[in-house]
Amino acid sequence: MFLFHATKYECPFDCFINMIKGKWRTTIILSLINGPKRFSQLHRLINGISAKVLSDNLQILEENHILTRTVYPAIPPTVEYCLTEQGTEFANIIEDINTWAYHYTKID
Amino acid sequence: MFLFHATKYECPFDCFINMIKGKWRTTIILSLINGPKRFSQLHRLINGISAKVLSDNLQILEENHILTRTVYPAIPPTVEYCLTEQGTEFANIIEDINTWAYHYTKID
DNA sequence: CGGAATCCCCTTTGATACTG
DNA sequence: CAGTATCAAAGGGGATTCCG
């Protein structure tokens, strides 16, 4: 299907690679599966990530329409991140990958 | 399933991320779907990759049992790369991802 | 609270040259 | 043919500091 059986493999899914790439991206996405969360919630939930890296990655994911960022003007400010429909599909794919990876690690 | 609906998301599929990560890894794997290929074939097939990066990545994929490297002693030397069973499963997953990515890019 | 700015580090990539 | 050696560049990550 698509270009994969052709002679050259110009990958149309570079978008996916860009989205999954990086140490934290998939973890962030999976953390939002059960519903929207705030910045500090994500920060606490994802063990070991720095605020800067979390912020950077959230921006990238927002630009790619994987999640939405909603600001509730208040003091203190509240910002909520939520998966888009596409982001949810994306999360499902990551879970499928996990199924494979689980068996894979069993083999090793 | 697994840990993804738990509170913390320590990813058991880091192995997958490590395998898919990098600019060329998936392209290399897909290039081998239709059967084993030699180093120079891959080099020509994958547009823009340098010999060093191709070599580095092939080694990593071999270490992770995604592909096998077979040397046929001859002059000039011949080396053949071939997906393992696990590597083939991996390639199928990448193709599935592509299906999603294809629709995703259509939306954008 | 939710970041942005800065600086350093490390890994990966890229370009070039060389070899059994 | 199938690489390796070497070095420079680029990108992402980590720690710290500052801000509305």
Side-chain angles (χ1 to χ4, degrees), chain A residues 100-101 104 108, chain B residues 15-16 18-20 25-26 28-30 32-33 57-69 81-94:
Chain A
W100 176 86
Y104 176 82
D108 257 11
Chain B
C15 68
F16 184 91
N18 285 332
M19 218 121 328
I20 210 175
R25 233 97 109 190
T26 55
I28 294 170
I29 293 167
L30 290 181
L32 288 170
I33 274 192
N57 280 286
L58 286 171
Q59 274 182 40
I60 292 169
L61 293 172
E62 190 197 356
E63 284 165 13
N64 285 279
H65 313 296
I66 296 300
L67 52 80
T68 58
R69 179 176 182 274
Y81 294 92
C82 182
L83 289 182
T84 62
E85 199 174 320
Q86 296 167 53
T88 304
E89 287 177 27
F90 196 100
N92 289 333
I93 292 176
I94 296 174

Side-chain angles (χ1 to χ4, degrees), chain A residues 9, chain B residues 28-42 44-45 58 66-72 78-84 88:
Chain A
Y9 302 90
Chain B
I28 294 170
I29 293 167
L30 290 181
S31 298
L32 288 170
I33 274 192
N34 293 326
K37 289 195 173 46
R38 297 165 60 181
F39 186 87
S40 55
Q41 285 183 294
L42 288 172
R44 275 191 304 273
L45 208 54
L58 286 171
I66 296 300
L67 52 80
T68 58
R69 179 176 182 274
T70 311
V71 182
Y72 297 99
T78 298
V79 180
E80 205 172 65
Y81 294 92
C82 182
L83 289 182
T84 62
T88 304

Side-chain angles (χ1 to χ4, degrees), chain A residues 22-43:
Chain A
K23 190 172 172 181
W24 301 105
R25 234 98 111 191
T26 54
T27 308
I28 294 169
I29 294 168
L30 290 180
S31 299
L32 288 170
I33 275 191
N34 293 326
K37 290 194 171 49
R38 296 165 59 182
F39 186 88
S40 53
Q41 286 184 291
L42 289 172
H43 197 182

Side-chain angles (χ1 to χ4, degrees), chain A residues 4-5 7-9 11-13 16 31 44-45 64-65 86 89-90 93 95 97-98 100-101 104, chain B residues 4-5 7-9 12-13 16 26-27 31 34 44-45 64 86 89-90 93 95 97-98 100 104 108:
Chain A
F4 316 120
H5 295 260
T7 309
K8 300 255 180 180
Y9 302 90
C11 296
F13 62 103
F16 183 90
S31 299
R44 276 191 304 274
L45 206 53
N64 285 281
H65 314 295
Q86 297 166 52
E89 288 176 26
F90 195 98
I93 292 177
E95 289 205 318
I97 289 172
N98 250 304
W100 176 86
Y104 176 82
Chain B
F4 316 120
H5 294 260
T7 308
K8 300 253 177 180
Y9 302 89
F13 60 106
F16 184 91
T26 55
T27 309
S31 298
N34 293 326
R44 275 191 304 273
L45 208 54
N64 285 279
Q86 296 167 53
E89 287 177 27
F90 196 100
I93 292 176
E95 288 206 317
I97 289 172
N98 250 305
W100 176 85
Y104 175 83
D108 257 11

